[in-house]
Amino acid sequence: MTFLATTRARCPELADFLESCCRKRLRFEGEEPNHHSACNHVHLWGLEYWAERCPGIDLSFRLEFVEEIFRQWRAQLRGLPPFQTAGYRLYLYEDLAPTVSVVAETPAGFPYEGGAVEFVGAPAEVMAGYLRQKWSDNFKFTPWPMPQTRILSAIEAHAGSISKPTANALGVGVGELRQLIETMGLEQKVNALRKRFRRRPATFRPALDLSTPRKIYERRLPPQFD
């Protein structure tokens, strides 16, 4: 049985989330790896949310969850131009939820300069910290969870605004709305809505906010990797 099938038998909603992570369309435009990461990162909030509700989502399961995403991404990466000449760097790092990312190898190298980073030698060193905290502790406001479709529909109904009227319609504060958008990886969809209503793109938190120390695991894939 595949890991996806195993996950679906345990928690169908988490399996849907895993599928969406694995199928993310990866993009490598330009020579700035931090831009690559901004396009190609996924906060694994669904994993941590369902870990509170489904038994057996332990460290081993979390690690296999990440490996499944990396396996599916590797297959996609083989069909993209950097595969032939540049190669890639896969990342797993700490955030409100564990976060995966991939960048193409460029002259700039490591994409997350300018902050406190602790490199670790294995994914388990990143994931272990999430066993000691509850995902829900990050959110003191209600309601949570909030479906992505509800957030996007409210923003669309308010002509792309992410200010107080939209936040009020969702029953959260403005800062909390921005936190939800960032944590659920909705930045690009929100800015696409804003563009439709001729609003300027909103500026969100960087893919990796280094204002606090973060553990980060790096896996390099050479050009034409096996």
Side-chain angles (χ1 to χ4, degrees), residues 154 158 161-172 174 177:
H158 289 83
S161 170
I162 54 173
S163 58
K164 190 172 182 179
T166 307
N168 287 346
L170 292 168
V172 299
V174 174
L177 173 57

Side-chain angles (χ1 to χ4, degrees), residues 48-67:
E48 294 307 309
Y49 172 77
W50 288 107
E52 292 187 28
R53 290 154 178 80
C54 298
I57 299 181
D58 54 9
L59 179 59
S60 177
F61 183 94
R62 284 173 165 89
L63 294 175
E64 188 58 33
F65 196 96
V66 170
E67 289 301 328

Side-chain angles (χ1 to χ4, degrees), residues 146-183:
M146 189 176 295
Q148 294 184 10
T149 51
R150 184 181 171 200
I151 297 171
L152 295 172
S153 294
I155 294 170
E156 184 175 20
H158 289 83
S161 170
I162 54 173
S163 58
K164 190 172 182 179
T166 307
N168 287 346
L170 292 168
V172 299
V174 174
E176 294 161 348
L177 173 57
R178 294 183 71 90
Q179 185 182 30
L180 285 171
I181 291 168
E182 292 164 351
T183 305

Side-chain angles (χ1 to χ4, degrees), residues 29-30 62 64 68 77 84 96 113 125 132 140 142-143 146 153 168 177 181 183-185 200 217 220:
E29 299 166 359
R62 284 173 165 89
E64 188 58 33
E68 181 65 20
L77 293 172
Q84 298 297 334
L96 289 180
E113 297 293 347
E125 295 180 68
R132 300 188 295 270
K140 301 305 182 184
T142 56
M146 189 176 295
S153 294
N168 287 346
L177 173 57
I181 291 168
T183 305
M184 300 176 79
R200 290 180 297 177
Y217 167 76
R220 296 194 187 188

Side-chain angles (χ1 to χ4, degrees), residues 117-137:
V117 170
E118 178 187 349
F119 283 99
V120 297
E125 295 180 68
V126 175
M127 282 300 208
Y130 295 94
L131 302 178
R132 300 188 295 270
Q133 64 184 42
K134 293 176 63 177
W135 163 250
S136 58
D137 288 343

